Amino acid sequence: MEENYPEAGREVTALPEGEKIAEKWWHESKLMWQIAGPAMLTAVTQFSIDVVTAAFVGHLGNIELAAVSVVQNIVEGFVYGVMLGMGSALETLCGQALLHQNDEISDLAGKYCRWVIPQLFAYALNFPVQKFLQAQGKVWFMTIASIASLGIHVLLNWVLVTKFGHGLLGAAIAGNISWWLLNLAQIVYVISGYFPEAWTGFSMLAFKSLTGFVKLSLASAVMLCLELWYYTAVILMVGSLKNPTIAVDAVSICMNLQLWTLMIALGFNAAVSVRVSNELGAGNPKAAKFSIVVTVWTSLMFGTLFTAVILGTKNNYPSLFTSEPLVMSEASKLGYFLAATIFLNSIQPILHGVAVGAGWQFMVALLNTGCYYVVGLPIGGVLGYVFKLGVKGIWSGMLFGSVLQTVILLFIIIRTSWSKEASQAEERVKTWGGSPEHQQTQELTDYRGSSRNILPITAE
């Protein structure tokens, strides 16, 4: 294979015994950024397609922004989870008009939802193509293609939404074209002869041993779905408050910024997942622990920076998405909640990456269920509806569930015997992915609006 990821475990263990911690840190950082850099850029640019749509639509009016936000956070977010192994729900979702939401928002959201159906199918094709390209180490091609697609998307939105005034229909058309152009570029690249050994055309062999693949990926799919549907549930709860248009607009503005910064953390998520899985597979538990420390601290630095920016601009950032004073005021009031969530997001995805790298997907799926749906959402509902705290109460519940999950994951990671995990990794790869001397298969999953894929890592 070409441009494979570095055989991290072998390089780390070859370092001299007395090497200074700063040199080890620098060496580990280089290995991390080789994976995190392109993954981060791809995630940010692809998610920015949704952010650009929301920014253009937000200046059309409050109802339009609320409708697009509902579709982006509920329908598209739901489908992202479904695409990772839980079956198609397009027909059901597109006919819902969205559970107990304001009639005006639901009507417009229902129309927009039908218009973006081609975009939802584009997601389904995007995943396997990206999986293949990542398996070949062609991550930079994906990054370049994503950046080009984002540039085209901005231009199309300006032409269709702003210049010619086609409103939500124009925004939907722009999104559909941008995503399918991205898919087309990736497909053409795959079939153009750049992979003579890995790509020999379509074959029925693709359907061989699907059972093993389903077993390997199901736990990760469930874990991701539970993450995505947490935000979906929050939007649904906010949509049931009094004056839902303003509430949904304010929350969607903050969530767009939160999820945009989350794309940065997902680059580190990808890196730590690969590094931990590689080191465990190579029988280097100490190197696995060190990679966790380096990645967490690096991500924390970015999280601290983004938190400071949000706090410093909490009266200004809503203007990126709306011109309505009331919406801007409500979104600004959520600034402290947004800042706290962004800071937490600089830690939580890294811990998820560690869990994926160590093969703890099923455990994290259970943890997500408990922290989010048994604790977080009920607390948010009580604070928001019973104590009349509205959006702040609902967001507080979401934040509490996330904090609880992060604390528990930290405790588990600190208490883990990494030597035992290294021995278990060998058995796991033998069961699902073949001999560890020849191949490690590591699932990587992202959140809404990014790469959201599975990444096989080959170690010769």
Side-chain angles (χ1 to χ4, degrees):
M1 288 187 179
E2 302 176 325
E3 300 179 34
N4 283 328
Y5 295 100
E7 297 176 46
R10 200 171 295 173
E11 292 184 35
V12 171
T13 54
L15 294 174
E17 196 66 39
E19 186 176 17
K20 295 180 180 179
I21 187 66
E23 294 176 288
K24 290 183 179 180
W25 192 287
W26 173 247
H27 185 81
E28 176 62 37
S29 294
K30 288 193 295 183
L31 295 176
M32 177 193 69
W33 278 106
Q34 287 180 43
I35 306 168
M40 196 179 294
L41 288 172
T42 300
V44 168
T45 50
Q46 290 190 4
F47 179 74
S48 294
I49 292 177
D50 275 356
V51 175
V52 167
T53 299
F56 274 93
V57 168
H59 291 281
L60 296 176
N62 293 347
I63 298 295
E64 288 81 358
L65 177 58
V68 169
S69 299
V70 166
V71 173
Q72 286 182 343
N73 289 285
I74 297 177
V75 178
E76 293 180 8
F78 194 99
V79 171
Y80 269 120
V82 170
M83 291 300 142
L84 286 170
M86 302 194 72
S88 176
L90 285 176
E91 186 173 316
T92 303
L93 288 170
C94 293
Q96 277 183 349
L98 305 166
L99 184 65
H100 298 303
Q101 300 297 289
N102 172 270
D103 290 340
E104 195 173 8
I105 296 176
S106 296
D107 180 64
L108 195 56
K111 293 178 181 178
Y112 183 75
C113 184
R114 291 192 294 272
W115 293 335
V116 297
I117 286 177
Q119 186 172 324
L120 302 183
F121 281 100
Y123 299 157
L125 187 59
N126 185 50
F127 301 144
V129 176
Q130 284 199 347
K131 170 189 172 181
F132 177 81
L133 290 172
Q134 287 189 326
Q136 302 302 309
K138 300 295 184 180
V139 287
W140 279 110
F141 175 81
M142 291 192 313
T143 302
I144 294 170
S146 298
I147 292 173
S149 177
L150 176 60
I152 293 171
H153 186 64
V154 172
L155 178 61
L156 287 174
N157 269 279
W158 179 78
V159 171
L160 295 174
V161 178
T162 303
K163 189 71 174 177
F164 293 108
H166 292 308
L168 291 192
L169 177 60
I173 293 173
N176 293 338
I177 292 175
S178 300
W179 274 104
W180 277 103
L181 283 177
L182 174 59
N183 275 340
L184 182 62
Q186 292 179 149
I187 291 170
V188 169
Y189 185 67
V190 167
I191 66 176
S192 294
Y194 290 98
F195 313 99
E197 297 181 0
W199 174 258
T200 57
F202 295 100
S203 170
M204 293 300 294
L205 290 175
F207 297 97
K208 184 179 180 181
S209 302
L210 282 179
T211 303
F213 175 78
V214 170
K215 288 180 179 179
L216 181 64
S217 62
L218 184 60
S220 288
V222 172
M223 182 178 76
L224 178 61
C225 287
L226 292 173
E227 289 279 349
L228 294 176
W229 297 342
Y230 191 41
Y231 297 109
T232 296
V234 169
I235 289 292
L236 287 171
M237 291 171 69
V238 170
S240 299
L241 294 171
K242 293 181 180 179
N243 198 359
T245 301
I246 301 299
V248 171
D249 284 350
V251 169
S252 67
I253 288 173
C254 294
M255 278 198 172
N256 269 315
L257 292 173
Q258 171 210 342
L259 291 171
W260 189 86
T261 59
L262 181 63
M263 297 304 108
I264 302 295
L266 290 180
F268 295 119
N269 168 285
V272 77
S273 185
V274 172
R275 293 289 296 116
V276 168
S277 61
N278 281 351
E279 296 296 358
L280 291 179
N284 298 317
K286 289 184 178 180
K289 290 173 62 177
F290 188 68
S291 68
I292 295 171
V293 173
V294 172
T295 308
V296 167
W297 278 104
T298 305
S299 183
L300 267 175
M301 288 192 292
F302 278 85
T304 302
L305 174 63
F306 291 140
T307 299
V309 170
I310 290 297
L311 290 176
T313 62
K314 68 183 185 69
N315 295 322
N316 306 107
Y317 65 73
S319 63
L320 295 172
F321 298 89
T322 183
S323 306
E324 296 290 332
L326 186 56
V327 176
M328 293 176 66
S329 175
E330 290 301 310
S332 179
K333 292 177 182 177
L334 296 174
Y336 292 107
F337 294 87
L338 175 60
T341 305
I342 287 176
F343 182 79
L344 185 64
N345 280 346
S346 66
I347 305 173
Q348 188 185 46
I350 315 307
L351 304 184
H352 279 193
V354 174
V356 172
W360 301 341
Q361 291 94 328
F362 182 72
M363 180 271 289
V364 176
L366 294 177
L367 185 60
N368 285 351
T369 302
C371 293
Y372 292 162
Y373 299 95
V374 177
V375 178
L377 291 180
I379 289 178
V382 170
L383 293 176
Y385 298 122
V386 178
F387 289 93
K388 309 295 183 183
L389 295 180
V391 176
K392 292 181 179 179
I394 294 173
W395 197 307
S396 296
M398 178 184 74
L399 198 56
F400 183 83
S402 298
V403 169
L404 180 62
Q405 188 217 46
T406 301
V407 170
I408 294 174
L409 274 176
L410 274 172
F411 179 78
I412 291 172
I413 290 172
I414 291 171
R415 299 272 300 187
T416 293
S417 170
W418 290 99
S419 298
K420 183 179 179 181
E421 290 296 324
S423 63
Q424 290 178 346
E426 181 177 348
E427 293 302 318
R428 185 179 297 116
V429 175
K430 283 181 180 179
T431 302
W432 287 335
S435 171
E437 288 80 14
H438 294 87
Q439 184 179 25
Q440 292 186 76
T441 302
Q442 172 58 49
E443 291 183 358
L444 280 179
T445 53
D446 288 349
Y447 297 87
R448 152 180 202 283
S450 73
S451 52
R452 301 177 179 90
N453 43 52
I454 299 169
L455 172 58
I457 304 299
T458 296
E460 298 290 315

